[in-house]
Amino acid sequence: MKRLLVGNWKMNPQTLEEARFIAHRIEHGLLGLDRNRIEIAICPPFVFLPGLKHALHFAKLGGQNVSASSSGPYTGEISIHQLKEFGITYVIVGHSERRALGETDEYINKKLKILVENQTQPILCVGFGTKRNTPDSLKKAVVKKQLQVNLKGVKLAKSKLTICYEPTWVISQGRVGTGNPATPRHAAAMCQFINSVIPKTRVIYGGSLDSKNVGEFAEAKAIEGGLIGGASLHPDEFLAIVKVFAKS
Ligand code: PGA
């Protein structure tokens, strides 16, 4: 399976001009990389999707979230059909920052079903609810329960699903180089565990990845890509991470 690197821009940048600048720099830096080895997704804020639709070619566009309903009276929500208008390929669901806002496992399950019905590839994040010092056995139990409820009744070709291990305690808060990632060993063990629960699925790791720490993560066979927040807003950082994954 190809490795997948996802740029999660979160609520950044603040202008379309900056978004276009970052996207063009990333796209330019991807020239020459082997598309058979690596896939790239950029998930900007929704409002920038129309402005970036034609800026990305190697990189595919993704949404950071989607409504659990396909249409109707849901103030502030974005439907899968609206996202598809702008050519998105992926949608992130179950990110820790959304679970922290109150999204339950059952609600995330509804979103996954909507994505599957509409032939969109989900990137399901799991790991919320643990702490750095939570025993590994408990971390696994939490992740297993999330996987079971989130994916209940989801009829999806396994090859189209990406699962990301990204517990809250590894997220950088956007400051590149100052984050506190999981150890590559722990990340790899959890990715392997996820693969034992949901076999034949692509499993990636997210949390404080940057150009300096990426090497050991990329070397681990169990880690089939990365979800990159803060560093994905800095084209040189993001491209350096992509290139390390593409080579390993
Ligand atoms: P980070 O964010 O790389 O800034 O830690 C990752 C994410 O939350 O998706």
Side-chain angles (χ1 to χ4, degrees):
M1 213 176 287
K2 288 189 212 174
R3 290 179 132 189
L4 172 68
L5 281 306
V6 185
N8 176 15
W9 288 3
K10 308 192 180 185
M11 205 166 69
N12 303 292
Q14 301 309 311
T15 67
L16 177 58
E17 194 184 340
E18 285 173 273
R20 283 211 176 107
F21 177 79
I22 299 167
H24 283 302
R25 290 268 315 275
I26 289 176
E27 191 62 33
H28 185 74
L30 295 171
L31 283 173
L33 284 184
D34 185 354
R35 287 171 194 250
N36 294 318
R37 284 180 68 86
I38 202 119
E39 262 171 82
I40 310 291
I42 298 293
C43 303
F46 292 136
V47 288
F48 295 151
L49 286 171
L52 296 182
K53 186 177 175 194
H54 299 294
L56 297 171
H57 305 284
F58 190 128
K60 304 263 188 309
L61 274 177
Q64 295 178 16
N65 185 24
V66 67
S67 171
S69 304
S70 66
S71 66
Y74 302 101
T75 303
E77 292 286 287
I78 307 279
S79 78
I80 183 60
H81 309 296
Q82 292 162 339
L83 285 175
K84 286 186 79 174
E85 279 281 297
F86 299 106
I88 56 114
T89 303
Y90 304 92
V91 174
I92 299 171
V93 284
H95 191 283
S96 288
E97 288 158 6
R98 299 222 50 97
R99 291 183 191 257
L101 291 172
E103 289 195 8
T104 63
D105 283 326
E106 289 75 14
Y107 191 58
I108 292 162
N109 175 252
K110 280 192 186 172
K111 294 183 182 209
L112 283 161
K113 287 182 174 157
I114 289 260
L115 293 179
V116 172
E117 278 162 24
N118 289 282
Q119 291 84 42
T120 306
Q121 298 187 34
I123 300 166
L124 168 64
C125 298
V126 293
F128 175 76
T130 62
K131 294 198 167 71
R132 192 174 290 273
N133 61 2
T134 303
D136 279 7
S137 56
L138 196 54
K139 285 183 177 127
K140 286 182 178 166
V142 167
V143 165
K144 188 170 182 181
K145 158 111 189 319
Q146 286 170 355
L147 291 170
Q148 282 168 342
V149 181
N150 294 165
L151 292 169
K152 191 170 177 205
V154 174
K155 294 191 179 50
L156 178 63
K158 298 265 171 52
S159 59
K160 298 283 181 211
L161 174 65
T162 300
I163 300 171
C164 179
Y165 177 58
E166 189 183 72
T168 322
W169 43 271
V170 299
I171 297 178
S172 79
Q173 309 301 325
R175 294 180 303 276
V176 182
T178 60
N180 200 355
T183 62
R185 197 191 157 110
H186 173 70
M190 289 304 289
C191 287
Q192 208 161 18
F193 172 72
I194 290 169
N195 222 297
S196 72
V197 180
I198 313 287
K200 298 196 179 74
T201 304
R202 176 165 51 199
V203 187
I204 66 176
Y205 163 78
S208 298
L209 285 174
D210 63 35
S211 60
K212 295 197 176 62
N213 65 26
V214 63
E216 275 189 75
F217 291 93
E219 270 164 29
K221 288 280 163 287
I223 304 178
E224 295 177 283
L227 178 59
I228 298 134
S232 68
L233 292 155
H234 301 271
D236 292 342
E237 272 291 309
F238 184 65
L239 290 164
I241 296 169
V242 167
K243 285 174 187 169
V244 172
F245 266 100
K247 274 198 215 120
S248 323

PDB file of all heavy atoms in Angstrom, residues 6 8 10 92 95-97 125 164 166 170-175 179 206-209 227-232, ligand 1:
ATOM      1  N   VAL A   6      -0.509  13.407   5.220  1.00  0.00           N
ATOM      2  CA  VAL A   6      -1.661  14.310   5.237  1.00  0.00           C
ATOM      3  C   VAL A   6      -1.272  15.606   5.948  1.00  0.00           C
ATOM      4  O   VAL A   6      -0.799  15.573   7.082  1.00  0.00           O
ATOM      5  CB  VAL A   6      -2.832  13.672   6.017  1.00  0.00           C
ATOM      6  CG1 VAL A   6      -4.077  14.558   5.935  1.00  0.00           C
ATOM      7  CG2 VAL A   6      -3.124  12.269   5.522  1.00  0.00           C
ATOM      8  N   ASN A   8      -2.653  18.598   7.815  1.00  0.00           N
ATOM      9  CA  ASN A   8      -3.874  19.076   8.482  1.00  0.00           C
ATOM     10  C   ASN A   8      -3.628  20.517   8.911  1.00  0.00           C
ATOM     11  O   ASN A   8      -2.964  20.763   9.914  1.00  0.00           O
ATOM     12  CB  ASN A   8      -4.164  18.172   9.699  1.00  0.00           C
ATOM     13  CG  ASN A   8      -5.357  18.663  10.497  1.00  0.00           C
ATOM     14  OD1 ASN A   8      -6.133  19.496  10.025  1.00  0.00           O
ATOM     15  ND2 ASN A   8      -5.504  18.148  11.710  1.00  0.00           N
ATOM     16  N   LYS A  10      -5.624  22.669  10.034  1.00  0.00           N
ATOM     17  CA  LYS A  10      -6.484  23.138  11.145  1.00  0.00           C
ATOM     18  C   LYS A  10      -7.076  24.509  10.797  1.00  0.00           C
ATOM     19  O   LYS A  10      -7.489  24.696   9.657  1.00  0.00           O
ATOM     20  CB  LYS A  10      -5.696  23.135  12.449  1.00  0.00           C
ATOM     21  CG  LYS A  10      -5.024  21.773  12.696  1.00  0.00           C
ATOM     22  CD  LYS A  10      -4.481  21.588  14.058  1.00  0.00           C
ATOM     23  CE  LYS A  10      -3.851  20.209  14.152  1.00  0.00           C
ATOM     24  NZ  LYS A  10      -3.379  19.876  15.482  1.00  0.00           N
ATOM     25  N   ILE A  92     -10.951  13.823   7.138  1.00  0.00           N
ATOM     26  CA  ILE A  92     -10.504  13.416   8.481  1.00  0.00           C
ATOM     27  C   ILE A  92     -11.742  13.325   9.380  1.00  0.00           C
ATOM     28  O   ILE A  92     -12.567  14.246   9.386  1.00  0.00           O
ATOM     29  CB  ILE A  92      -9.539  14.472   9.073  1.00  0.00           C
ATOM     30  CG1 ILE A  92      -8.291  14.635   8.206  1.00  0.00           C
ATOM     31  CG2 ILE A  92      -9.166  14.124  10.516  1.00  0.00           C
ATOM     32  CD1 ILE A  92      -7.405  15.822   8.610  1.00  0.00           C
ATOM     33  N   HIS A  95     -10.863  13.345  14.777  1.00  0.00           N
ATOM     34  CA  HIS A  95      -9.644  13.981  15.294  1.00  0.00           C
ATOM     35  C   HIS A  95      -9.835  14.306  16.780  1.00  0.00           C
ATOM     36  O   HIS A  95     -10.932  14.683  17.205  1.00  0.00           O
ATOM     37  CB  HIS A  95      -9.374  15.261  14.489  1.00  0.00           C
ATOM     38  CG  HIS A  95      -8.017  15.838  14.758  1.00  0.00           C
ATOM     39  ND1 HIS A  95      -7.734  16.555  15.895  1.00  0.00           N
ATOM     40  CD2 HIS A  95      -6.861  15.777  14.045  1.00  0.00           C
ATOM     41  CE1 HIS A  95      -6.457  16.910  15.868  1.00  0.00           C
ATOM     42  NE2 HIS A  95      -5.907  16.447  14.757  1.00  0.00           N
ATOM     43  N   SER A  96      -8.754  14.187  17.538  1.00  0.00           N
ATOM     44  CA  SER A  96      -8.817  14.460  18.989  1.00  0.00           C
ATOM     45  C   SER A  96      -9.426  15.826  19.291  1.00  0.00           C
ATOM     46  O   SER A  96     -10.146  15.987  20.281  1.00  0.00           O
ATOM     47  CB  SER A  96      -7.409  14.479  19.590  1.00  0.00           C
ATOM     48  OG  SER A  96      -6.881  13.200  19.657  1.00  0.00           O
ATOM     49  N   GLU A  97      -9.100  16.806  18.432  1.00  0.00           N
ATOM     50  CA  GLU A  97      -9.601  18.158  18.709  1.00  0.00           C
ATOM     51  C   GLU A  97     -11.107  18.240  18.512  1.00  0.00           C
ATOM     52  O   GLU A  97     -11.770  19.106  19.083  1.00  0.00           O
ATOM     53  CB  GLU A  97      -8.842  19.182  17.845  1.00  0.00           C
ATOM     54  CG  GLU A  97      -7.412  19.351  18.342  1.00  0.00           C
ATOM     55  CD  GLU A  97      -6.430  19.886  17.324  1.00  0.00           C
ATOM     56  OE1 GLU A  97      -6.848  20.259  16.210  1.00  0.00           O
ATOM     57  OE2 GLU A  97      -5.222  19.915  17.638  1.00  0.00           O
ATOM     58  N   CYS A 125      -9.175   9.084  12.948  1.00  0.00           N
ATOM     59  CA  CYS A 125      -8.185   9.263  14.028  1.00  0.00           C
ATOM     60  C   CYS A 125      -8.677   8.586  15.301  1.00  0.00           C
ATOM     61  O   CYS A 125      -9.843   8.743  15.690  1.00  0.00           O
ATOM     62  CB  CYS A 125      -7.972  10.736  14.318  1.00  0.00           C
ATOM     63  SG  CYS A 125      -7.333  11.661  12.928  1.00  0.00           S
ATOM     64  N   CYS A 164      -5.526   6.643  11.726  1.00  0.00           N
ATOM     65  CA  CYS A 164      -4.377   7.379  12.258  1.00  0.00           C
ATOM     66  C   CYS A 164      -4.336   7.268  13.774  1.00  0.00           C
ATOM     67  O   CYS A 164      -5.315   7.615  14.442  1.00  0.00           O
ATOM     68  CB  CYS A 164      -4.477   8.848  11.843  1.00  0.00           C
ATOM     69  SG  CYS A 164      -3.116   9.827  12.498  1.00  0.00           S
ATOM     70  N   GLU A 166      -3.352   8.935  16.818  1.00  0.00           N
ATOM     71  CA  GLU A 166      -2.956  10.292  17.203  1.00  0.00           C
ATOM     72  C   GLU A 166      -3.609  10.679  18.526  1.00  0.00           C
ATOM     73  O   GLU A 166      -4.630  11.377  18.547  1.00  0.00           O
ATOM     74  CB  GLU A 166      -3.331  11.304  16.118  1.00  0.00           C
ATOM     75  CG  GLU A 166      -2.744  12.660  16.409  1.00  0.00           C
ATOM     76  CD  GLU A 166      -3.159  13.706  15.390  1.00  0.00           C
ATOM     77  OE1 GLU A 166      -4.322  14.105  15.404  1.00  0.00           O
ATOM     78  OE2 GLU A 166      -2.315  14.102  14.600  1.00  0.00           O
ATOM     79  N   VAL A 170       0.221  13.920  22.073  1.00  0.00           N
ATOM     80  CA  VAL A 170       1.352  14.067  21.156  1.00  0.00           C
ATOM     81  C   VAL A 170       1.204  15.291  20.250  1.00  0.00           C
ATOM     82  O   VAL A 170       2.115  15.618  19.494  1.00  0.00           O
ATOM     83  CB  VAL A 170       1.529  12.818  20.260  1.00  0.00           C
ATOM     84  CG1 VAL A 170       1.811  11.597  21.092  1.00  0.00           C
ATOM     85  CG2 VAL A 170       0.321  12.594  19.365  1.00  0.00           C
ATOM     86  N   ILE A 171       0.056  15.960  20.312  1.00  0.00           N
ATOM     87  CA  ILE A 171      -0.218  17.045  19.350  1.00  0.00           C
ATOM     88  C   ILE A 171       0.583  18.291  19.723  1.00  0.00           C
ATOM     89  O   ILE A 171       0.682  18.652  20.891  1.00  0.00           O
ATOM     90  CB  ILE A 171      -1.739  17.301  19.254  1.00  0.00           C
ATOM     91  CG1 ILE A 171      -2.414  16.040  18.709  1.00  0.00           C
ATOM     92  CG2 ILE A 171      -2.037  18.507  18.370  1.00  0.00           C
ATOM     93  CD1 ILE A 171      -3.914  16.107  18.600  1.00  0.00           C
ATOM     94  N   SER A 172       1.133  18.951  18.695  1.00  0.00           N
ATOM     95  CA  SER A 172       2.151  19.985  18.940  1.00  0.00           C
ATOM     96  C   SER A 172       1.633  21.348  19.339  1.00  0.00           C
ATOM     97  O   SER A 172       2.414  22.191  19.744  1.00  0.00           O
ATOM     98  CB  SER A 172       2.982  20.173  17.675  1.00  0.00           C
ATOM     99  OG  SER A 172       2.274  20.974  16.735  1.00  0.00           O
ATOM    100  N   GLN A 173       0.359  21.614  19.173  1.00  0.00           N
ATOM    101  CA  GLN A 173      -0.175  22.975  19.357  1.00  0.00           C
ATOM    102  C   GLN A 173       0.387  23.930  18.302  1.00  0.00           C
ATOM    103  O   GLN A 173       0.388  25.142  18.493  1.00  0.00           O
ATOM    104  CB  GLN A 173       0.118  23.542  20.759  1.00  0.00           C
ATOM    105  CG  GLN A 173      -0.270  22.654  21.923  1.00  0.00           C
ATOM    106  CD  GLN A 173      -1.761  22.320  21.925  1.00  0.00           C
ATOM    107  OE1 GLN A 173      -2.599  23.135  21.549  1.00  0.00           O
ATOM    108  NE2 GLN A 173      -2.089  21.097  22.323  1.00  0.00           N
ATOM    109  N   GLY A 174       0.879  23.380  17.209  1.00  0.00           N
ATOM    110  CA  GLY A 174       1.242  24.222  16.067  1.00  0.00           C
ATOM    111  C   GLY A 174       2.645  24.791  16.071  1.00  0.00           C
ATOM    112  O   GLY A 174       3.046  25.425  15.107  1.00  0.00           O
ATOM    113  N   ARG A 175       3.397  24.577  17.134  1.00  0.00           N
ATOM    114  CA  ARG A 175       4.749  25.157  17.158  1.00  0.00           C
ATOM    115  C   ARG A 175       5.759  24.097  16.715  1.00  0.00           C
ATOM    116  O   ARG A 175       6.096  23.189  17.475  1.00  0.00           O
ATOM    117  CB  ARG A 175       5.079  25.680  18.556  1.00  0.00           C
ATOM    118  CG  ARG A 175       4.197  26.876  18.953  1.00  0.00           C
ATOM    119  CD  ARG A 175       4.555  27.375  20.333  1.00  0.00           C
ATOM    120  NE  ARG A 175       4.449  26.322  21.338  1.00  0.00           N
ATOM    121  CZ  ARG A 175       3.308  25.974  21.947  1.00  0.00           C
ATOM    122  NH1 ARG A 175       2.187  26.585  21.644  1.00  0.00           N
ATOM    123  NH2 ARG A 175       3.294  25.008  22.842  1.00  0.00           N
ATOM    124  N   GLY A 179       7.094  20.288  19.772  1.00  0.00           N
ATOM    125  CA  GLY A 179       6.092  19.288  20.162  1.00  0.00           C
ATOM    126  C   GLY A 179       6.726  18.141  20.928  1.00  0.00           C
ATOM    127  O   GLY A 179       7.934  18.087  21.121  1.00  0.00           O
ATOM    128  N   GLY A 206       0.210  10.312  13.781  1.00  0.00           N
ATOM    129  CA  GLY A 206       0.221  11.777  13.769  1.00  0.00           C
ATOM    130  C   GLY A 206       0.558  12.313  15.143  1.00  0.00           C
ATOM    131  O   GLY A 206       0.162  11.740  16.163  1.00  0.00           O
ATOM    132  N   GLY A 207       1.288  13.431  15.170  1.00  0.00           N
ATOM    133  CA  GLY A 207       1.597  14.097  16.424  1.00  0.00           C
ATOM    134  C   GLY A 207       3.022  14.586  16.465  1.00  0.00           C
ATOM    135  O   GLY A 207       3.960  13.793  16.573  1.00  0.00           O
ATOM    136  N   SER A 208       3.187  15.916  16.319  1.00  0.00           N
ATOM    137  CA  SER A 208       4.495  16.573  16.472  1.00  0.00           C
ATOM    138  C   SER A 208       5.564  16.054  15.525  1.00  0.00           C
ATOM    139  O   SER A 208       6.751  16.111  15.841  1.00  0.00           O
ATOM    140  CB  SER A 208       4.996  16.453  17.928  1.00  0.00           C
ATOM    141  OG  SER A 208       4.109  17.101  18.799  1.00  0.00           O
ATOM    142  N   LEU A 209       5.150  15.553  14.362  1.00  0.00           N
ATOM    143  CA  LEU A 209       6.176  15.141  13.388  1.00  0.00           C
ATOM    144  C   LEU A 209       6.831  16.396  12.815  1.00  0.00           C
ATOM    145  O   LEU A 209       6.158  17.382  12.521  1.00  0.00           O
ATOM    146  CB  LEU A 209       5.553  14.326  12.253  1.00  0.00           C
ATOM    147  CG  LEU A 209       5.166  12.879  12.580  1.00  0.00           C
ATOM    148  CD1 LEU A 209       4.427  12.254  11.400  1.00  0.00           C
ATOM    149  CD2 LEU A 209       6.397  12.046  12.932  1.00  0.00           C
ATOM    150  N   LEU A 227       0.129  12.078   9.772  1.00  0.00           N
ATOM    151  CA  LEU A 227      -0.812  13.203   9.793  1.00  0.00           C
ATOM    152  C   LEU A 227      -0.035  14.357  10.419  1.00  0.00           C
ATOM    153  O   LEU A 227       0.419  14.252  11.563  1.00  0.00           O
ATOM    154  CB  LEU A 227      -2.054  12.840  10.623  1.00  0.00           C
ATOM    155  CG  LEU A 227      -3.127  13.917  10.790  1.00  0.00           C
ATOM    156  CD1 LEU A 227      -3.687  14.377   9.446  1.00  0.00           C
ATOM    157  CD2 LEU A 227      -4.282  13.379  11.645  1.00  0.00           C
ATOM    158  N   ILE A 228       0.110  15.420   9.659  1.00  0.00           N
ATOM    159  CA  ILE A 228       1.039  16.473  10.057  1.00  0.00           C
ATOM    160  C   ILE A 228       0.293  17.792  10.196  1.00  0.00           C
ATOM    161  O   ILE A 228      -0.317  18.266   9.239  1.00  0.00           O
ATOM    162  CB  ILE A 228       2.160  16.575   8.998  1.00  0.00           C
ATOM    163  CG1 ILE A 228       2.921  15.233   8.970  1.00  0.00           C
ATOM    164  CG2 ILE A 228       3.118  17.701   9.305  1.00  0.00           C
ATOM    165  CD1 ILE A 228       3.157  14.728   7.596  1.00  0.00           C
ATOM    166  N   GLY A 229       0.338  18.350  11.389  1.00  0.00           N
ATOM    167  CA  GLY A 229      -0.372  19.600  11.653  1.00  0.00           C
ATOM    168  C   GLY A 229       0.545  20.792  11.439  1.00  0.00           C
ATOM    169  O   GLY A 229       0.765  21.241  10.318  1.00  0.00           O
ATOM    170  N   GLY A 230       1.121  21.284  12.538  1.00  0.00           N
ATOM    171  CA  GLY A 230       1.941  22.502  12.496  1.00  0.00           C
ATOM    172  C   GLY A 230       2.949  22.531  11.351  1.00  0.00           C
ATOM    173  O   GLY A 230       3.053  23.532  10.630  1.00  0.00           O
ATOM    174  N   ALA A 231       3.675  21.443  11.170  1.00  0.00           N
ATOM    175  CA  ALA A 231       4.742  21.438  10.161  1.00  0.00           C
ATOM    176  C   ALA A 231       4.202  21.512   8.733  1.00  0.00           C
ATOM    177  O   ALA A 231       4.929  21.891   7.816  1.00  0.00           O
ATOM    178  CB  ALA A 231       5.616  20.193  10.333  1.00  0.00           C
ATOM    179  N   SER A 232       2.920  21.186   8.540  1.00  0.00           N
ATOM    180  CA  SER A 232       2.395  21.186   7.166  1.00  0.00           C
ATOM    181  C   SER A 232       2.131  22.599   6.649  1.00  0.00           C
ATOM    182  O   SER A 232       1.870  22.800   5.467  1.00  0.00           O
ATOM    183  CB  SER A 232       1.119  20.338   7.065  1.00  0.00           C
ATOM    184  OG  SER A 232       0.056  20.931   7.766  1.00  0.00           O
TER     185      SER A 232
HETATM  186  P1  PGA B   1       0.827  18.390  14.940  1.00  0.00           P
HETATM  187  O1  PGA B   1      -0.708  18.124  14.669  1.00  0.00           O
HETATM  188  O2  PGA B   1       1.611  17.771  13.837  1.00  0.00           O
HETATM  189  O3  PGA B   1       0.942  19.897  14.958  1.00  0.00           O
HETATM  190  O4  PGA B   1       1.149  17.771  16.248  1.00  0.00           O
HETATM  191  C1  PGA B   1      -1.140  16.920  14.135  1.00  0.00           C
HETATM  192  C2  PGA B   1      -2.643  16.902  14.122  1.00  0.00           C
HETATM  193  O5  PGA B   1      -3.263  17.283  15.122  1.00  0.00           O
HETATM  194  O6  PGA B   1      -3.241  16.496  13.110  1.00  0.00           O
END
